[in-house]
Amino acid sequence: MAACVLGGALTMGGTTLAYNYGVGAIWLGGVAAFSIFLLSLFLRTKLSNMRILSACEGFGVFYGPQARVLSAVVMMVYMFMVGVV
């Protein structure tokens, strides 16, 4: 899950934001990394016991297969928007 957040979208998007708006835009990566660290402290064992690897799988576990498909569609739209920008 951390690889999805701290992957190409954050590195490429973060450098573009820093180029356009200055060094102050780098806080985005720091906040994302810090929040993932905090989530791992509190939710590590729960997520390991559930054996999920993505947010879409988590939605499927909690809300059913329709929510999993809907979250996958939302993620695809998000990734398309990241790729276009």
Side-chain angles (χ1 to χ4, degrees):
M1 291 178 132
C4 291
V5 174
L6 297 175
L10 185 63
T11 55
M12 296 302 289
T15 52
T16 303
L17 282 174
Y19 179 77
N20 290 332
Y21 300 107
V23 180
I26 294 177
W27 67 268
L28 180 65
V31 169
F34 183 69
S35 61
I36 289 172
F37 174 73
L38 286 178
L39 283 173
S40 70
L41 285 178
F42 297 113
L43 298 177
R44 177 181 52 222
T45 56
K46 191 174 205 176
L47 290 175
S48 295
N49 293 338
M50 290 173 45
R51 300 199 182 278
I52 61 171
L53 297 175
S54 69
C56 297
E57 289 179 7
F59 279 112
V61 168
F62 286 114
Y63 302 111
Q66 291 87 6
R68 182 177 181 175
V69 171
L70 179 63
S71 67
V73 169
V74 169
M75 292 294 251
M76 285 177 14
V77 170
Y78 165 74
M79 293 307 282
F80 177 74
M81 292 188 316
V82 167
V84 169
V85 173

